Amino acid sequence: MMTPTPFDSQSCTSCPRHCQADRTRAAGYCGVGSKPVIAKACVHLWEEPCISGTRGSGTVFFSGCSLRCVFCQNYPISRGGVGWEVEPAQLADVFLELQDKLVHNINLVSPSHQAEAIAEALHLCGGRLKVPVVWNSGGYDATETILALSEQVSVWLPDLKFHDAALSSDLAGAPDYFACAAAAVRTMVQCAGVPIFDEEGLLQKGVMIRHLVLPGHTRDSIRILEWVASEFGSSVLVSLMGQYTPMPDTPGAPARRLMRREYVRVTEALFRLGLEEGYVQELSSAGMERIPEFDGEGVPHCKARVGKRSMAT
Ligand code: SF4
């Protein structure tokens, strides 16, 4: 039986903001109307080894975002208005062209607020798309949206950013972040089950939770790991990251990099809790060099640049 689609462009509730914007007329809180807006589509080699493999991940960066993380490293596309509007059929072509480059998967970065268009594009691809689809989100996903995409997405790669409501309110404008993200991750695990890899070690199905340790907030990180361990044990992968990089002109964001002793404290908790399936990033990975340039690579008709759109506030 088909799951009823939750999408309604004229009263959008695709993400937990439930702002009910009429996206056929104007952008919602996420800054994007009903057509997909993308900033780059390329082969990406810097994800975890089970995602990037040897041939890379076919990555599509979506513009706009329903979170307002003050430390966002993709600010030009999340809130800065950089992106190019395409039709769902063109988005389907983008996925298929990436597949032609022999990538291991199609990696949808920040897709949550563009779920309806993504579902349509994946439907248009049909059986031509052979590689797994990866939902690479900030974790602020609506459970109804996850269920609607559960037959098209096989790898769920959500962040779990914050546990404390005051922290997520201050840093992302979302006091309900953990409640929503926890429900989302539970739903993803129900949909995908335990991780399944192919013979090359590439993740074909399953959930990998990412957590970026924030300077000065190791206690919050450990509470997240404790929750993951108690809910899922080793039936999910965990990717712990220490690459926090302070961005210029970001008031309210932690203004320094993570200290080694902070990262060691969280890493020790990870292993003490038995969360040994996954990855621990090298602390030396911090830096701007891995932040891609959002130049319209791989975007059809990128001359039709949306440019500095005024995002909804
Ligand atoms: S996806 Fe955008 S328009 Fe829809 S509820 Fe979320 S913020 Fe609002």
Side-chain angles (χ1 to χ4, degrees):
M1 195 175 72
M2 292 286 288
T3 306
T5 167
F7 307 124
D8 180 353
S9 297
Q10 293 180 295
S11 180
C12 184
T13 57
S14 288
C15 86
R17 288 280 170 204
H18 283 203
C19 74
Q20 297 185 297
D22 180 352
R23 298 174 70 177
T24 63
R25 293 173 178 272
Y29 182 95
C30 54
V32 174
S34 56
K35 297 257 180 83
V37 182
I38 60 178
K40 192 179 185 82
C42 63
V43 179
H44 192 27
L45 296 165
W46 297 105
E47 305 285 26
E48 290 81 353
C50 70
I51 301 293
S52 284
T54 53
R55 300 193 301 274
S57 179
T59 304
V60 182
F61 292 89
F62 289 88
S63 301
C65 189
S66 55
L67 290 172
R68 296 279 167 91
C69 297
V70 292
F71 51 84
C72 182
Q73 304 200 339
N74 289 346
Y75 182 88
I77 64 169
S78 65
R79 291 178 64 193
V82 173
W84 291 264
E85 192 174 279
V86 297
E87 298 293 332
Q90 292 175 310
L91 184 58
D93 288 343
V94 167
F95 296 159
L96 293 170
E97 283 166 19
L98 285 170
Q99 179 177 249
D100 288 344
K101 294 179 178 173
L102 304 180
V103 295
H104 295 290
N105 45 54
I106 299 299
N107 180 1
L108 311 173
V109 177
S110 195
S112 310
H113 56 293
Q114 304 205 32
E116 181 175 12
I118 290 168
E120 185 178 349
L122 291 172
H123 177 73
L124 291 170
C125 290
R128 292 178 293 168
L129 194 61
K130 311 283 189 199
V131 295
V133 174
V134 180
W135 189 262
N136 183 344
S137 78
Y140 198 55
D141 291 296
T143 55
E144 298 83 359
T145 297
I146 296 163
L147 291 170
L149 286 154
S150 63
E151 291 182 9
Q152 296 172 305
V153 172
S154 49
V155 175
W156 300 93
L157 186 53
D159 292 333
L160 261 183
K161 294 173 184 283
F162 318 100
H163 190 284
D164 182 71
L167 186 64
S168 63
S169 178
D170 288 349
L171 296 188
D176 62 350
Y177 176 84
F178 183 76
C180 295
V185 174
R186 282 193 193 105
T187 306
M188 292 170 182
V189 174
Q190 283 166 12
C191 291
V194 297
I196 297 173
F197 299 88
D198 69 5
E199 62 283 356
E200 293 179 73
L202 275 300
L203 188 59
Q204 303 296 295
K205 198 169 172 59
V207 179
M208 180 156 63
I209 297 169
R210 280 179 170 164
H211 176 66
L212 173 67
V213 184
L214 295 174
H217 296 289
T218 55
R219 180 64 202 142
D220 202 66
S221 293
I222 293 169
R223 289 179 74 187
I224 287 171
L225 297 178
E226 288 170 345
W227 180 82
V228 171
S230 69
E231 286 275 328
F232 309 118
S234 58
S235 60
V236 297
L237 306 173
V238 176
S239 178
L240 192 68
M241 302 187 296
Q243 67 182 20
Y244 179 84
T245 305
M247 305 296 281
D249 303 322
T250 51
R256 61 170 172 84
R257 290 193 175 174
L258 194 63
M259 288 188 274
R260 182 162 297 279
R261 62 182 161 82
E262 292 177 308
Y263 201 43
V264 168
R265 184 175 173 221
V266 179
T267 305
E268 286 176 350
L270 179 84
F271 292 118
R272 187 171 65 247
L273 291 162
L275 296 172
E276 296 181 356
E277 303 295 326
Y279 302 92
V280 176
Q281 186 181 43
E282 295 288 331
L283 202 52
S284 59
S285 300
M288 303 281 287
E289 60 278 3
R290 291 190 181 181
I291 299 173
E293 191 181 344
F294 298 113
D295 53 4
E297 178 185 355
V299 180
H301 311 305
C302 78
K303 285 199 284 292
R305 180 173 178 149
V306 174
K308 291 282 178 191
R309 286 169 296 137
S310 174
M311 296 281 196
T313 54

